Amino acid sequence: MNKPYVYITRKLPEDQIKPFKDDWEIGMWESETEPVDKETLKKEARRADGLLTMLTEKIDEELLNDVPNLKVIANMAVGYDNVNVEAAENKGIIVTNTPDVLTDTTADLAFGILMAAARRIVEAADYIRDNKWDNWSPLLLAGSDIHHKKLGIVGMGRIGQAVARRAKGFDMEVAYYNRSRKYEVEEEGLAVYESFENLISTSDFVMSLVPLTNETEHLFNGDVFRKMKKEAIFINASRGKTMDEKALYEAVKGGEIKGAGLDVFEEEPISSDHPLLTLKEIVCVPHIGSASKETREKMMNLSLQNIQSVLKDEEPKTPVH
């Protein structure tokens, strides 16, 4: 009996895939950094029983129309807006993701870029690197306090709750807006619920942690930035398309808000001439929310375990629906 064929769209460490080699025939894209090209992905998906994909791979209806053997798509991320889940389910293909294992790591990064933007840490590091530090002055690179300020979190899922716990350690006032009330969050004392309008207009820091949907695309737009406090800092650690980058650029450049910390962008990757990189008030990092060695290895393993379960006709650990 032939082994099932599993295709992995990025090169993973040998110690991750070795436990599955007895059960599967494994194909793998040869690069750790460059995404698989569209034609190769189509060809491999046509043959595969299982796919392990990254956010860079677009698993759309066109691709899914020609995958006669495919049973499972394991997306190595929490988000899965790169996969047409409805089209997959219509074909009986199970889609899985990697929640929980990256919650704390992503929350660390989200709060880290908040701190970096507020305290001008990247700008200050460059100040020394550029040999500009000649003397001390009272307001040299003076940023904004974080402690006792108000953090407004939009999207109170697992990561939002983890960020709120970190904020409490800084004696921050934490409010949240979510499509549905999270009473357990309020009972725990992590955050108070506010309307979206009130949250964006009264928070010192506004953080996007929402999934990308039709409703959240460009949720943070010019109108929203204009309603924020002039001293407010916007943080996005969710999906790039939840914000209008041009509107954010204009808001920061025009002094409508003080700055931003971004881990995500509308189109990724961005290049060094991107307009947002011209503003020292904006801290940009390359979608590294879950990028600790420990967490990425957990994400790899969970994705592989999900494929294993489906190919054995068992329930996957983390199906998206």
Side-chain angles (χ1 to χ4, degrees):
M1 185 176 175
N2 290 336
K3 292 180 182 179
Y5 178 63
V6 173
Y7 186 71
I8 303 170
T9 65
R10 203 66 59 89
K11 187 176 181 181
L12 302 186
E14 177 63 23
D15 63 340
Q16 290 289 320
I17 62 171
K18 188 177 180 181
F20 302 92
K21 282 189 166 181
D22 287 343
D23 294 328
W24 309 338
E25 181 187 352
I26 297 175
M28 189 160 56
W29 184 241
E30 67 273 10
S31 175
E32 292 179 16
T33 55
E34 293 298 318
V36 62
D37 66 84
K38 192 173 181 180
E39 287 308 310
T40 299
L41 179 59
K42 273 186 176 180
K43 182 185 76 173
E44 296 290 351
R46 195 177 299 127
R47 180 187 168 198
D49 298 277
L51 279 179
L52 195 160
T53 56
M54 313 293 146
L55 276 174
T56 45
E57 278 72 74
K58 189 174 183 182
I59 311 300
D60 55 17
E61 191 167 9
E62 179 190 354
L63 183 143
L64 291 168
N65 278 334
D66 190 20
V67 286
N69 305 314
L70 194 61
K71 299 177 183 66
V72 56
I73 300 164
N75 207 44
M76 205 183 103
V78 171
Y80 44 88
D81 46 273
N82 59 309
V83 180
N84 188 327
V85 176
E86 184 179 357
E89 289 179 343
N90 287 340
K91 291 184 166 291
I93 300 166
I94 294 171
V95 181
T96 69
N97 64 343
T98 58
D100 299 330
V101 295
L102 51 67
T103 296
D104 283 315
T105 301
T106 304
D108 286 349
L109 188 281
F111 204 80
I113 57 175
L114 181 156
M115 295 179 69
R119 294 300 306 271
R120 301 171 67 178
I121 291 171
V122 175
E123 187 184 351
D126 288 342
Y127 192 80
I128 293 179
R129 190 170 285 111
D130 295 338
N131 202 30
K132 293 179 179 177
W133 192 19
D134 297 325
N135 48 51
W136 184 91
S137 63
L139 291 176
L140 174 66
L141 292 161
S144 301
D145 276 335
I146 299 159
H147 61 86
H148 297 98
K149 295 292 184 73
K150 181 175 179 180
L151 169 62
I153 299 173
V154 183
M156 188 51 80
R158 297 177 183 89
I159 296 169
Q161 292 170 45
V163 169
R165 291 188 181 94
R166 284 152 179 76
K168 286 296 183 180
F170 282 74
D171 294 317
M172 297 184 85
E173 175 189 351
V174 185
Y176 81 97
Y177 172 77
N178 200 68
R179 186 173 57 180
S180 56
R181 290 277 293 267
K182 299 276 187 173
Y183 292 102
E184 67 276 13
V185 168
E186 297 167 45
E187 289 164 9
E188 191 180 334
L190 278 181
V192 297
Y193 177 83
E194 291 185 2
S195 70
F196 183 72
E197 293 287 328
N198 193 66
L199 182 144
I200 62 170
S201 63
T202 60
S203 295
D204 300 293
F205 301 90
V206 176
M207 183 177 291
S208 173
L209 291 172
V210 292
L212 179 62
T213 65
N214 290 336
E215 290 74 31
T216 62
E217 186 167 355
H218 281 191
L219 174 64
F220 296 94
N221 53 37
D223 287 341
V224 169
F225 294 131
R226 280 187 286 275
K227 290 173 183 173
M228 289 184 190
K229 297 165 75 168
K230 284 194 177 296
E231 292 297 304
I233 293 173
F234 173 67
I235 308 297
N236 193 351
S238 56
R239 286 289 178 267
K241 288 183 179 177
T242 62
M243 65 184 174
D244 181 335
E245 284 182 2
K246 290 180 181 176
L248 175 61
Y249 172 84
E250 294 298 335
V252 175
K253 186 179 180 185
E256 290 174 346
I257 65 173
K258 188 168 187 177
L262 308 174
D263 184 40
V264 290
F265 304 89
E266 288 196 64
E267 297 295 335
E268 297 178 0
I270 64 170
S271 59
S272 60
D273 60 353
H274 193 286
L276 292 173
L277 296 176
T278 66
L279 301 177
K280 65 182 185 302
E281 298 88 353
I282 300 181
V283 172
C284 299
V285 296
H287 205 146
I288 57 170
S290 62
S292 73
K293 187 173 185 293
E294 299 94 328
T295 292
R296 287 288 168 86
E297 287 178 349
K298 288 176 186 174
M299 291 167 70
M300 293 172 195
N301 186 257
L302 179 55
S303 298
L304 292 162
Q305 292 284 353
N306 276 323
I307 292 173
Q308 179 83 303
S309 295
V310 174
L311 295 183
K312 287 186 171 182
D313 294 322
E314 299 169 358
E315 281 294 311
K317 295 183 183 224
T318 51
V320 301
H321 285 163

